[in-house]
Amino acid sequence: GNSVTQMEGPVTLSEEAFLTINCTYTATGYPSLFWYVQYPGEGLQLLLKATKADDKGSNKGFEATYRKETTSFHLEKGSVQVSDSAVYFCAGNAGGTSYGKLTFGQGTILTVHP
Amino acid sequence: EAGVTQFPSHSVIEKGQTVTLRCDPISGHDNLYWYRRVMGKEIKFLLHFVKESKQDESGMPNNRFLAERTGGTYSTLKVQPAELEDSGVYFCASSQKPGGWYEQYFGPGTRLTVT
């Protein structure tokens, strides 16, 4: 079956530091890949996505590139802010008969200090 | 436009009791999903409705869980009788259409605590 393995946290950084959260996936087909973010007290929000190999998703300074050769979709940001403190989830959708069913990683708690 | 809403935000019940969670999707979204996150682990798929029909219920853990979506609008997820291992956060999501290129919009979740 499909699975997503996400770097375990928590991750604690100082403001303006570089962020990387690793994510790898296993799928029988060619999944679409997503990063979701959950801010304190809120629901999950789609941060970015990529629907095919070599696609780069980007939003709010975050980027992730769909690497088929390494089956990875690592999340990066060059300079984090305190407001980026949240839980980040990597997810995949195998498509086909899965009809949008998402498979999630365990989530990574990010805390950014001033 | 209102987002996905869930009620209640938090429920504390005793083992053996019944709880019903409700989800109101974004208006016009035919696809409604339920997910669950137990004890800080990964978020797991429970089931998927297309309008009022169950498209995929492969993630439902057992027959103590019953999901309905009468009329293809809001959905309820009933747990009867609740067990300790049912504690967790239950998320609902909706999308206009299925498939990876259609964003799923998530609600804030219902935190269920079974004591």
PDB file of all heavy atoms in Angstrom, chain A residues 36-55:
ATOM      1  N   TYR A  36       0.660  19.947   4.229  1.00  0.00           N
ATOM      2  CA  TYR A  36      -0.385  20.644   4.950  1.00  0.00           C
ATOM      3  C   TYR A  36       0.230  21.230   6.216  1.00  0.00           C
ATOM      4  O   TYR A  36       1.187  20.686   6.779  1.00  0.00           O
ATOM      5  CB  TYR A  36      -1.525  19.687   5.350  1.00  0.00           C
ATOM      6  CG  TYR A  36      -2.516  19.420   4.262  1.00  0.00           C
ATOM      7  CD1 TYR A  36      -2.286  18.437   3.301  1.00  0.00           C
ATOM      8  CD2 TYR A  36      -3.703  20.146   4.178  1.00  0.00           C
ATOM      9  CE1 TYR A  36      -3.214  18.191   2.295  1.00  0.00           C
ATOM     10  CE2 TYR A  36      -4.629  19.906   3.181  1.00  0.00           C
ATOM     11  CZ  TYR A  36      -4.380  18.933   2.243  1.00  0.00           C
ATOM     12  OH  TYR A  36      -5.298  18.692   1.254  1.00  0.00           O
ATOM     13  N   VAL A  37      -0.357  22.330   6.681  1.00  0.00           N
ATOM     14  CA  VAL A  37       0.113  22.971   7.908  1.00  0.00           C
ATOM     15  C   VAL A  37      -1.078  23.184   8.840  1.00  0.00           C
ATOM     16  O   VAL A  37      -2.184  23.500   8.394  1.00  0.00           O
ATOM     17  CB  VAL A  37       0.830  24.307   7.612  1.00  0.00           C
ATOM     18  CG1 VAL A  37      -0.086  25.275   6.878  1.00  0.00           C
ATOM     19  CG2 VAL A  37       1.344  24.952   8.895  1.00  0.00           C
ATOM     20  N   GLN A  38      -0.838  22.931  10.111  1.00  0.00           N
ATOM     21  CA  GLN A  38      -1.882  23.160  11.114  1.00  0.00           C
ATOM     22  C   GLN A  38      -1.356  24.140  12.143  1.00  0.00           C
ATOM     23  O   GLN A  38      -0.471  23.812  12.946  1.00  0.00           O
ATOM     24  CB  GLN A  38      -2.294  21.852  11.792  1.00  0.00           C
ATOM     25  CG  GLN A  38      -3.447  22.018  12.769  1.00  0.00           C
ATOM     26  CD  GLN A  38      -3.852  20.719  13.446  1.00  0.00           C
ATOM     27  OE1 GLN A  38      -3.065  19.783  13.544  1.00  0.00           O
ATOM     28  NE2 GLN A  38      -5.083  20.667  13.915  1.00  0.00           N
ATOM     29  N   TYR A  39      -1.896  25.361  12.120  1.00  0.00           N
ATOM     30  CA  TYR A  39      -1.541  26.362  13.112  1.00  0.00           C
ATOM     31  C   TYR A  39      -2.326  26.094  14.387  1.00  0.00           C
ATOM     32  O   TYR A  39      -3.397  25.468  14.350  1.00  0.00           O
ATOM     33  CB  TYR A  39      -1.816  27.765  12.576  1.00  0.00           C
ATOM     34  CG  TYR A  39      -1.003  28.104  11.349  1.00  0.00           C
ATOM     35  CD1 TYR A  39      -1.588  28.106  10.078  1.00  0.00           C
ATOM     36  CD2 TYR A  39       0.352  28.413  11.451  1.00  0.00           C
ATOM     37  CE1 TYR A  39      -0.839  28.396   8.954  1.00  0.00           C
ATOM     38  CE2 TYR A  39       1.101  28.696  10.327  1.00  0.00           C
ATOM     39  CZ  TYR A  39       0.507  28.686   9.082  1.00  0.00           C
ATOM     40  OH  TYR A  39       1.245  28.971   7.957  1.00  0.00           O
ATOM     41  N   PRO A  40      -1.840  26.554  15.510  1.00  0.00           N
ATOM     42  CA  PRO A  40      -2.515  26.283  16.789  1.00  0.00           C
ATOM     43  C   PRO A  40      -3.986  26.666  16.755  1.00  0.00           C
ATOM     44  O   PRO A  40      -4.342  27.784  16.375  1.00  0.00           O
ATOM     45  CB  PRO A  40      -1.718  27.146  17.774  1.00  0.00           C
ATOM     46  CG  PRO A  40      -0.364  27.250  17.169  1.00  0.00           C
ATOM     47  CD  PRO A  40      -0.580  27.308  15.690  1.00  0.00           C
ATOM     48  N   GLY A  41      -4.841  25.729  17.130  1.00  0.00           N
ATOM     49  CA  GLY A  41      -6.269  25.989  17.226  1.00  0.00           C
ATOM     50  C   GLY A  41      -7.011  26.001  15.902  1.00  0.00           C
ATOM     51  O   GLY A  41      -8.211  26.314  15.862  1.00  0.00           O
ATOM     52  N   GLU A  42      -6.329  25.667  14.821  1.00  0.00           N
ATOM     53  CA  GLU A  42      -6.967  25.713  13.504  1.00  0.00           C
ATOM     54  C   GLU A  42      -6.951  24.346  12.829  1.00  0.00           C
ATOM     55  O   GLU A  42      -6.326  23.406  13.310  1.00  0.00           O
ATOM     56  CB  GLU A  42      -6.268  26.740  12.625  1.00  0.00           C
ATOM     57  CG  GLU A  42      -6.310  28.154  13.173  1.00  0.00           C
ATOM     58  CD  GLU A  42      -5.658  29.164  12.238  1.00  0.00           C
ATOM     59  OE1 GLU A  42      -5.408  28.815  11.071  1.00  0.00           O
ATOM     60  OE2 GLU A  42      -5.402  30.291  12.697  1.00  0.00           O
ATOM     61  N   GLY A  43      -7.659  24.248  11.722  1.00  0.00           N
ATOM     62  CA  GLY A  43      -7.651  23.020  10.945  1.00  0.00           C
ATOM     63  C   GLY A  43      -6.453  22.967  10.015  1.00  0.00           C
ATOM     64  O   GLY A  43      -5.653  23.897   9.955  1.00  0.00           O
ATOM     65  N   LEU A  44      -6.323  21.864   9.300  1.00  0.00           N
ATOM     66  CA  LEU A  44      -5.216  21.721   8.355  1.00  0.00           C
ATOM     67  C   LEU A  44      -5.454  22.625   7.152  1.00  0.00           C
ATOM     68  O   LEU A  44      -6.574  22.712   6.631  1.00  0.00           O
ATOM     69  CB  LEU A  44      -5.109  20.276   7.863  1.00  0.00           C
ATOM     70  CG  LEU A  44      -4.383  19.294   8.753  1.00  0.00           C
ATOM     71  CD1 LEU A  44      -5.243  18.903   9.928  1.00  0.00           C
ATOM     72  CD2 LEU A  44      -3.982  18.068   7.970  1.00  0.00           C
ATOM     73  N   GLN A  45      -4.398  23.263   6.700  1.00  0.00           N
ATOM     74  CA  GLN A  45      -4.472  24.094   5.503  1.00  0.00           C
ATOM     75  C   GLN A  45      -3.460  23.565   4.494  1.00  0.00           C
ATOM     76  O   GLN A  45      -2.351  23.208   4.866  1.00  0.00           O
ATOM     77  CB  GLN A  45      -4.123  25.552   5.822  1.00  0.00           C
ATOM     78  CG  GLN A  45      -4.982  26.219   6.861  1.00  0.00           C
ATOM     79  CD  GLN A  45      -4.470  27.602   7.195  1.00  0.00           C
ATOM     80  OE1 GLN A  45      -3.762  28.234   6.412  1.00  0.00           O
ATOM     81  NE2 GLN A  45      -4.814  28.075   8.377  1.00  0.00           N
ATOM     82  N   LEU A  46      -3.859  23.543   3.250  1.00  0.00           N
ATOM     83  CA  LEU A  46      -2.918  23.141   2.216  1.00  0.00           C
ATOM     84  C   LEU A  46      -1.849  24.216   2.078  1.00  0.00           C
ATOM     85  O   LEU A  46      -2.154  25.387   1.853  1.00  0.00           O
ATOM     86  CB  LEU A  46      -3.638  22.942   0.884  1.00  0.00           C
ATOM     87  CG  LEU A  46      -2.752  22.538  -0.274  1.00  0.00           C
ATOM     88  CD1 LEU A  46      -2.135  21.166  -0.027  1.00  0.00           C
ATOM     89  CD2 LEU A  46      -3.541  22.524  -1.580  1.00  0.00           C
ATOM     90  N   LEU A  47      -0.598  23.818   2.198  1.00  0.00           N
ATOM     91  CA  LEU A  47       0.514  24.764   2.081  1.00  0.00           C
ATOM     92  C   LEU A  47       1.023  24.797   0.638  1.00  0.00           C
ATOM     93  O   LEU A  47       1.184  25.852   0.050  1.00  0.00           O
ATOM     94  CB  LEU A  47       1.640  24.365   3.030  1.00  0.00           C
ATOM     95  CG  LEU A  47       2.879  25.250   3.050  1.00  0.00           C
ATOM     96  CD1 LEU A  47       2.531  26.672   3.436  1.00  0.00           C
ATOM     97  CD2 LEU A  47       3.931  24.678   3.997  1.00  0.00           C
ATOM     98  N   LEU A  48       1.263  23.605   0.077  1.00  0.00           N
ATOM     99  CA  LEU A  48       1.694  23.527  -1.312  1.00  0.00           C
ATOM    100  C   LEU A  48       1.494  22.101  -1.816  1.00  0.00           C
ATOM    101  O   LEU A  48       1.294  21.180  -1.025  1.00  0.00           O
ATOM    102  CB  LEU A  48       3.158  23.967  -1.470  1.00  0.00           C
ATOM    103  CG  LEU A  48       4.202  23.325  -0.577  1.00  0.00           C
ATOM    104  CD1 LEU A  48       4.680  22.005  -1.152  1.00  0.00           C
ATOM    105  CD2 LEU A  48       5.405  24.255  -0.392  1.00  0.00           C
ATOM    106  N   LYS A  49       1.577  21.952  -3.132  1.00  0.00           N
ATOM    107  CA  LYS A  49       1.376  20.632  -3.709  1.00  0.00           C
ATOM    108  C   LYS A  49       2.163  20.490  -5.002  1.00  0.00           C
ATOM    109  O   LYS A  49       2.593  21.494  -5.604  1.00  0.00           O
ATOM    110  CB  LYS A  49      -0.105  20.376  -3.977  1.00  0.00           C
ATOM    111  CG  LYS A  49      -0.693  21.220  -5.090  1.00  0.00           C
ATOM    112  CD  LYS A  49      -2.163  20.867  -5.310  1.00  0.00           C
ATOM    113  CE  LYS A  49      -2.752  21.689  -6.446  1.00  0.00           C
ATOM    114  NZ  LYS A  49      -4.206  21.401  -6.648  1.00  0.00           N
ATOM    115  N   ALA A  50       2.344  19.245  -5.418  1.00  0.00           N
ATOM    116  CA  ALA A  50       2.962  18.934  -6.700  1.00  0.00           C
ATOM    117  C   ALA A  50       2.282  17.685  -7.241  1.00  0.00           C
ATOM    118  O   ALA A  50       2.085  16.718  -6.509  1.00  0.00           O
ATOM    119  CB  ALA A  50       4.458  18.694  -6.546  1.00  0.00           C
ATOM    120  N   THR A  51       1.899  17.716  -8.483  1.00  0.00           N
ATOM    121  CA  THR A  51       1.108  16.614  -9.025  1.00  0.00           C
ATOM    122  C   THR A  51       1.878  15.688  -9.938  1.00  0.00           C
ATOM    123  O   THR A  51       1.356  14.651 -10.343  1.00  0.00           O
ATOM    124  CB  THR A  51      -0.126  17.148  -9.774  1.00  0.00           C
ATOM    125  OG1 THR A  51       0.330  18.032 -10.800  1.00  0.00           O
ATOM    126  CG2 THR A  51      -1.047  17.887  -8.837  1.00  0.00           C
ATOM    127  N   LYS A  52       3.129  16.020 -10.267  1.00  0.00           N
ATOM    128  CA  LYS A  52       3.922  15.093 -11.078  1.00  0.00           C
ATOM    129  C   LYS A  52       5.401  15.308 -10.805  1.00  0.00           C
ATOM    130  O   LYS A  52       5.814  16.309 -10.225  1.00  0.00           O
ATOM    131  CB  LYS A  52       3.616  15.283 -12.562  1.00  0.00           C
ATOM    132  CG  LYS A  52       3.939  16.634 -13.116  1.00  0.00           C
ATOM    133  CD  LYS A  52       3.540  16.713 -14.585  1.00  0.00           C
ATOM    134  CE  LYS A  52       3.972  18.015 -15.228  1.00  0.00           C
ATOM    135  NZ  LYS A  52       3.283  19.183 -14.640  1.00  0.00           N
ATOM    136  N   ALA A  53       6.188  14.350 -11.270  1.00  0.00           N
ATOM    137  CA  ALA A  53       7.629  14.379 -11.027  1.00  0.00           C
ATOM    138  C   ALA A  53       8.248  15.678 -11.536  1.00  0.00           C
ATOM    139  O   ALA A  53       7.874  16.187 -12.591  1.00  0.00           O
ATOM    140  CB  ALA A  53       8.282  13.174 -11.687  1.00  0.00           C
ATOM    141  N   ASP A  54       9.192  16.188 -10.745  1.00  0.00           N
ATOM    142  CA  ASP A  54       9.954  17.412 -11.021  1.00  0.00           C
ATOM    143  C   ASP A  54       9.142  18.686 -10.821  1.00  0.00           C
ATOM    144  O   ASP A  54       9.691  19.789 -10.972  1.00  0.00           O
ATOM    145  CB  ASP A  54      10.553  17.404 -12.434  1.00  0.00           C
ATOM    146  CG  ASP A  54      11.523  16.259 -12.630  1.00  0.00           C
ATOM    147  OD1 ASP A  54      12.220  15.920 -11.649  1.00  0.00           O
ATOM    148  OD2 ASP A  54      11.563  15.695 -13.726  1.00  0.00           O
ATOM    149  N   ASP A  55       7.881  18.562 -10.475  1.00  0.00           N
ATOM    150  CA  ASP A  55       7.095  19.746 -10.130  1.00  0.00           C
ATOM    151  C   ASP A  55       7.639  20.350  -8.844  1.00  0.00           C
ATOM    152  O   ASP A  55       8.030  19.631  -7.922  1.00  0.00           O
ATOM    153  CB  ASP A  55       5.620  19.363  -9.900  1.00  0.00           C
ATOM    154  CG  ASP A  55       4.780  19.567 -11.137  1.00  0.00           C
ATOM    155  OD1 ASP A  55       5.336  19.950 -12.185  1.00  0.00           O
ATOM    156  OD2 ASP A  55       3.560  19.344 -11.040  1.00  0.00           O
TER     157      ASP A  55
END
